[in-house]
Amino acid sequence: MTITLTPEQERDLWAEARQNSQQNSSEPFESYSQIPRQLGKGYSRSIEVHPQVWLGISNYEYYDDILEPGCECIHPVEFAVSLSGTTIDEFGGQLGEGYTLISGGGIQRNMTFLASQAQVGIGFSMPVELLATFYPTGDEEIPPQLRFLVKGNEWQTLLYPKTTTAIQTVAQQIVNCPYHGMTKRLYLQAKVLELMSLQLAPFLAEQGGLQPQPRFRAGTIERIYQAREILLSRLANPPSLLELAQLVGVSDRTLQRGFQKLFGTTVFGYLADKRMEQAKRWLREGNRTVLEVAIMTGYSNPTHFSVAFKRKFGISPSQCLLGKKSV
C-alpha cells in the first residue's frame, strides 16, 4: 500500500515524534527523533557538525511506501547517500540503488517523492554561502566551478552522481562513528568534507578540478544538465538527440560527449536506464501487466524488455510484479 502525505501532515507527524523523543544530554550538538509511529519504526539523528552544517543519519523502516509531495520553496545545498532503500522523484531522479544526490541552492521544484520501506543513509545541508568557506578562492567568493549549485531565485540544480565504493565507505564510517563528544564532532566534520569532495569529484574533474581551466566552454556543463532535465521530464516522449541538442544550444557531438563524461553513458543509454527504473516503479505499483509496462517503456517485444530488465535488476519483470502483489 502507498500512503500520500501532504507537506503539512508530514511536518505535524515529525513535530509530534520529536516531542516524544529525548535529546542525548552527552552530545549537546545532537538531537534524536523516533520515526512517527503512524509511519514505521526506527530513528533519525541530527548533528550540527559545523556552524550551519547539519548532518542527518537515518535508520528506519516504513510500514508502507510513502509519497511526499514537495513544495516550491528555497532550498539549501544538500548532499545525500543511501545505504539501503530508495527515494525517487517524479522526474526520474533516484537516490539509492547506485545513485547519490546533490541538491543545489535555489527554488525546489514541486515534486512527488516515493520513499521505499527500508531506509538507511546520511545527508547533510548547508547555506549556499558556505561553499566559499569550504572551497576558498581568496576573494570570499564561491568558486566558478561550483556556481552551477547556486541558483538563487531560479530552479535548483539536482544531480544524481553514481555511488562509488569510496562514497559508500565514508557513509558507513559516518553511520558507525566510534567517537563521542568533541572528538566525534571533529571526526564527522572531516567525513562530511570528504564525502562532499567525493560526490563533487566527477563534476570538478570535468572542469579540471578547482583550476579555472574547464575542458568545456563556459556554460556548457550547465546546458548538459539542462538537457538531462528535459530528458527526465519527457521519458515517455523524448526528443531526438539532435532536437535535444538544439533545445539547450549545443551540438549533438558536445551533448554526447558531455553525457559520457558527466554521467558515464550515452544520451540513449541514460534514457534507457531511466526508462527501466520507471518500469520497475510501474511494476511495483502492481496495477499494470508486464506487457503494458513493456510497451510504455518503449519495447514492442516483451521478451527484449524482460531480458533488459533482468540484466539491470537481477530479476524478471514477472518476479518484480509478483513480489509486489505478495506484499
Side-chain angles (χ1 to χ4, degrees):
M1 184 173 70
T2 299
I3 296 176
T4 301
L5 296 177
T6 66
E8 293 77 17
Q9 289 173 327
E10 182 186 22
R11 183 180 61 247
D12 291 345
L13 286 171
W14 278 97
E16 179 184 352
R18 281 191 291 270
Q19 288 178 352
N20 296 330
S21 303
Q22 294 183 347
Q23 182 168 335
N24 186 346
S25 59
S26 66
E27 306 285 6
F29 50 87
E30 180 174 350
S31 62
Y32 173 94
S33 295
Q34 293 283 350
I35 296 301
R37 61 181 181 275
Q38 300 92 327
L39 303 181
K41 57 185 179 181
Y43 66 85
S44 177
R45 293 156 53 201
S46 183
I47 307 167
E48 190 178 27
V49 297
H50 183 278
Q52 301 186 78
V53 180
W54 289 91
L55 168 66
I57 301 175
S58 300
N59 187 337
Y60 56 86
E61 183 177 352
Y62 283 139
Y63 298 136
D64 302 281
D65 284 346
I66 304 294
L67 280 174
E68 301 176 3
C71 63
E72 293 184 5
C73 52
I74 296 293
H75 195 280
V77 177
E78 182 178 0
F79 296 77
V81 177
S82 176
L83 297 171
S84 173
T86 57
T87 302
I88 302 166
D89 71 48
E90 62 187 302
F91 296 108
Q94 174 177 303
L95 168 62
E97 293 189 2
Y99 296 92
T100 67
L101 168 66
I102 301 175
S103 299
I107 304 297
Q108 183 181 44
R109 294 183 184 275
N110 187 359
M111 297 185 296
T112 298
F113 298 89
L114 173 64
S116 63
Q117 296 177 12
Q119 298 284 329
V120 178
I122 65 100
F124 56 94
S125 62
M126 69 186 74
V128 169
E129 297 76 25
L130 284 187
L131 290 173
T133 299
F134 294 129
Y135 293 94
T137 60
D139 56 6
E140 300 183 355
E141 295 290 333
I142 295 171
Q145 296 84 352
L146 295 180
R147 289 178 189 164
F148 67 95
L149 296 176
V150 184
K151 292 300 184 179
N153 292 321
E154 300 178 5
W155 297 122
Q156 68 174 162
T157 298
L158 287 175
L159 310 175
Y160 295 90
K162 288 188 175 181
T163 303
T164 65
T165 301
I167 287 174
Q168 284 188 313
T169 298
V170 175
Q172 288 280 10
Q173 290 170 338
I174 290 174
V175 171
N176 301 314
C177 175
Y179 303 107
H180 300 280
M182 187 54 63
T183 304
K184 175 180 181 177
R185 197 178 192 191
L186 290 171
Y187 177 85
L188 291 177
Q189 283 179 7
K191 289 301 173 183
V192 161
L193 288 173
E194 184 179 1
L195 190 59
M196 188 194 314
S197 297
L198 288 171
Q199 288 186 260
L200 286 171
F203 313 108
L204 297 180
E206 181 54 43
Q207 302 179 75
L210 286 176
Q211 302 302 316
Q213 297 177 344
R215 290 156 67 185
F216 282 131
R217 292 180 180 177
T220 299
I221 290 180
E222 187 168 343
R223 292 177 183 179
I224 293 168
Y225 284 118
Q226 181 185 354
R228 189 194 65 166
E229 290 188 16
I230 292 173
L231 207 58
L232 291 175
S233 67
R234 294 177 56 179
L235 287 177
N237 184 28
S240 67
L241 176 64
L242 185 58
E243 180 186 357
L244 183 60
Q246 291 173 342
L247 284 172
V248 298
V250 298
S251 69
D252 55 342
R253 184 170 178 269
T254 296
L255 187 63
Q256 281 281 36
R257 188 164 63 93
F259 264 71
Q260 192 70 56
K261 290 289 185 181
L262 296 177
F263 311 124
T265 186
T266 63
V267 174
F268 178 78
Y270 188 89
L271 173 64
D273 190 60
K274 293 302 177 183
R275 276 182 156 183
M276 199 60 68
E277 290 169 3
Q278 178 64 68
K280 181 182 178 182
R281 292 194 287 274
W282 282 329
L283 290 169
R284 290 186 65 211
E285 289 171 0
N287 53 13
R288 297 179 176 90
T289 67
V290 172
L291 179 59
E292 288 172 333
V293 172
I295 293 172
M296 293 169 66
T297 311
Y299 285 83
S300 58
N301 188 320
T303 300
H304 293 168
F305 168 70
S306 295
V307 170
F309 189 93
K310 188 167 185 178
R311 183 185 303 119
K312 178 170 177 59
F313 299 113
I315 61 173
S316 69
S318 298
Q319 289 172 318
C320 183
L321 180 62
L322 289 173
K324 183 61 179 177
K325 289 183 175 180
S326 65
V327 174

